[in-house]
Amino acid sequence: MEVQEETVKKSKGERGIDGGERNERREGGGEGGREDGIGGGETKGDLATFEDLLEMAGTNGRWNIIMFIMCSIQAFISPLQSLTYQFLGATPDHWCLVPQLHQANWTQHQVISLAIPHTSNTTDEHDHCDMYNYNYTEVVEMGYEAAMLNKSTLNVLYPNPVQCLARDFNYSQYQSTVVTEWDLVCERRVIYSTTQAIVMVGKLLGYISFGYLIDKWGRRKVVLLAAVINIVSSFLIAASPTVEMYIILKGIMTAMDAGVYLALFVFVMESCAARYRAGVGAMFVIPWALGYMVAPGIAYLIRTWQLLHAVYALPTLYCIIFFWWLPESPRWLITQGRLHEALHVLTWAAKVNGRTLPTDDVILAAMTNIEKQTAIERTVEVGPEEEGWRLLKELKHFFILMLIPHLRLRTLVVFVGWFSASMVYYGVALNASNLGTDPYLYVFFGGLLEVPSYLLLWVMMVFVGRKRSLALLYFICAVCIFLVMAIMMLLPHEEGLTAVVVLSQAGKVAVTAAFQLIWAYTSELYPTRFRSLAVGQSSVCARLGSLLSPYINDILGKTSVWAPSAVFGIVSVVAAALTLTLPETRNAVLTESTKQTPKHYGTTKPQENAIIESINQTTTTNHYSNPTFDSE
């Protein structure tokens, strides 16, 4: 189609596509019009929401696709940093180190046969943490054959095994791991669980801090800052001289990764039209599944933990691309009153998409109206007399989701949902040792099955809706995990292994879809001013759940192999029931403010208005209202 071109005269104070003063706009219909057939000459009255501006710039063009692919690829990095402790910290067979026998060059078989107690008279399973308290100086002088002939006499003289202070390891499968490097077994086993728990602590701290900073600083600044620190810390971990330094750097790395992931996810969700959010939310994590599958393959080829971690760190260099290609979220820029910057981003998007925008005057006027609708107060200079209120202002902003009455119950339910999804997801994903299966294959198939779970999620979000889909996924997960528990309680390990693995992976498919769904669902439940804060604080609850999962698997699982499944099943049932109290958000427009109240809540109550007004008076940059969604 032909596109009519018209040069628009320079407007005072306005910036063009490249940030300068020239503004060249094409007006008319055809390809330059909106997808719904509206031409490029719309008035500001037709651009009442940011969604309208987004439609003008294009919602499924080259710019949108480039932004989505660029941001989602970063998800490939996350599983390499959070789901690899079974490989970095693989635990080979081990037994007590007996210095005298080691110095005498006794073989592994000889040491275990003489010095290590057996856990059962009917099996060859030996103890890992205790040894016989013989006089090993005399034993060395006797020699292995003579000592074995006199073992009964030695047991009479030294009847009680003792706990050893150091272990020896079987290095036939692994040249070195975090466990063998720092002896993280027996009484030091809790430190091993901490090497994974710190990943969740790092994510928790990352979501707490960056969930707030994303709203204060913007999406782009957070991505760039966190990416640089993530790259540096990722490579430094491979050179950690002590386990304490390893844990600290691991926490920093995962906190930064959380910041990058959260900011990019929010940017992508804010930059797509409502009709595409289901697909975008589901497809955003496909690279996560690919990274999940690649992780065990790399670990299978590299058997030294330092080199393995360095290879896992290499993909973080990809984040350098964001310095050149990642723009700021135009939706966030408008809420901050940075209209010319938002105009610049939308102009760039329209140019790449081959779309037509109205003149700068029309776009800026529409943005001004949108900004007024959000009722955001401009940042003001804080006088000396207000210095004492700074902390109060920040605290009120941080806890705003709990201070507004009609958001309080919703937020608590969302928090429980995130907590449950994360605990069960990481608990099932990292439970290969308790299930007695090969960790490489178990993790690989876990990653492989993430792809159909995302595709299943896409279909469910479109045709079933958010609320019912999430509740159903939690329930399916609970059923599968309870069946795993029953099989492990009632059948011998060899007979029930196949069923246990199949059901565990089926439960993981369900909880994987639930975990991703609650990310997208939460971003739809809150308006722009609260969106990053809600997702960030919810992610904190998720990290609390995932923080518990390694201790549940490693410590509770040692007590009873089916006990972790019982915990994960109960948590899933509770989450399924609570999810039914949330409103449906399918096909709802992302809100900028909270002026309109959901139908099922009725009108805003006077006490809520009082709380909101109080917060507005003590917060320099935020104005709070209520989100708009139709309930089912």
Side-chain angles (χ1 to χ4, degrees), residues 186 306 383 421 431:
C186 300
Q306 293 94 337
N431 199 27

Side-chain angles (χ1 to χ4, degrees), residues 81 85 88 178 182 184 188-203 205 233 236-255 305 309 547 551:
Q81 299 181 333
Y85 95 118
L88 292 166
V178 171
W182 294 300
L184 304 183
R188 291 172 59 83
R189 192 59 175 174
V190 68
I191 302 178
Y192 166 69
S193 298
T194 303
T195 63
Q196 174 62 15
I198 193 61
V199 170
M200 307 310 166
V201 171
K203 288 183 177 292
L205 296 176
S233 58
L236 287 178
I237 289 174
S240 299
T242 65
V243 68
E244 292 80 9
M245 182 60 67
Y246 176 90
I247 290 174
I248 291 172
L249 289 173
K250 195 84 169 178
I252 294 173
M253 176 192 72
T254 51
W305 76 267
H309 203 290
L547 176 63
Y551 295 104

Side-chain angles (χ1 to χ4, degrees), residues 263-492:
L264 292 176
F265 180 81
V266 171
F267 171 82
V268 166
M269 294 300 289
E270 289 183 340
S271 301
C272 70
R275 62 184 178 277
Y276 298 132
R277 286 205 307 269
V280 168
M283 301 300 288
F284 185 82
V285 284
I286 291 295
W288 167 283
L290 298 177
Y292 196 156
M293 287 186 283
V294 167
I298 297 174
Y300 187 82
L301 298 174
I302 302 175
R303 300 303 177 96
T304 57
W305 76 267
Q306 293 94 337
L307 179 58
L308 178 60
H309 203 290
V311 173
Y312 282 151
L314 285 175
T316 62
L317 297 174
Y318 167 80
C319 294
I320 295 174
I321 195 175
F322 297 133
F323 280 85
W324 287 274
W325 283 88
L326 182 68
E328 184 53 83
S329 166
R331 189 188 295 263
W332 179 83
L333 288 170
I334 293 174
T335 66
Q336 300 298 304
R338 294 159 61 175
L339 306 185
H340 283 87
E341 294 177 62
L343 173 64
H344 178 74
V345 176
L346 289 174
T347 302
W348 176 33
K351 180 181 180 182
V352 175
N353 288 336
R355 306 300 300 273
T356 298
L357 288 180
T359 62
D360 287 354
D361 287 335
V362 173
I363 297 293
L364 289 171
M367 289 181 181
T368 301
N369 284 338
I370 295 171
E371 183 194 8
K372 289 178 180 178
Q373 290 171 12
T374 62
I376 298 175
E377 299 178 353
R378 292 287 181 263
T379 302
V380 297
E381 188 72 22
V382 180
E385 68 280 4
E386 296 177 326
E387 289 291 337
W389 295 96
R390 284 183 182 272
L391 179 60
L392 178 60
K393 295 172 186 178
E394 301 304 325
L395 287 176
K396 282 189 174 182
H397 174 64
F398 187 80
F399 291 106
I400 181 60
L401 301 179
M402 302 301 295
L403 292 176
I404 299 178
H406 82 263
L407 291 181
R408 188 177 301 140
L409 178 60
R410 177 188 304 187
T411 301
L412 289 174
V413 172
V414 169
F415 285 175
V416 172
W418 281 73
F419 176 91
S420 304
S422 186
M423 172 190 282
V424 177
Y425 177 87
Y426 285 101
V428 175
L430 302 175
N431 199 27
S433 59
N434 287 324
L435 299 181
T437 186
D438 183 274
Y440 296 100
L441 290 177
Y442 185 81
V443 173
F444 172 78
F445 284 115
L448 182 64
L449 291 174
E450 298 242 335
V451 177
S453 72
Y454 299 146
L455 299 179
L456 170 67
L457 171 61
W458 189 351
V459 174
M460 293 182 70
M461 289 177 71
V462 171
F463 295 102
V464 182
R466 277 57 160 166
K467 177 174 68 174
R468 291 177 180 172
S469 295
L470 186 58
L472 181 61
L473 290 169
Y474 279 131
F475 181 75
I476 293 173
C477 176
V479 170
C480 292
I481 293 177
F482 279 136
L483 289 174
V484 168
M485 179 188 72
I487 293 173
M488 296 177 75
M489 292 175 65
L490 300 176
L491 295 180

Side-chain angles (χ1 to χ4, degrees), residues 16-19 22-26 31-33 53-59 61-64 66 325 342-358:
I17 294 174
D18 58 349
R22 291 191 64 218
N23 288 301
E24 294 183 358
R25 292 282 184 263
R26 293 177 300 170
E31 294 179 357
L53 291 174
L54 198 59
E55 293 286 351
M56 291 290 293
T59 56
R62 284 186 300 167
W63 185 87
N64 308 90
I66 290 171
W325 283 88
L343 173 64
H344 178 74
V345 176
L346 289 174
T347 302
W348 176 33
K351 180 181 180 182
V352 175
N353 288 336
R355 306 300 300 273
T356 298
L357 288 180

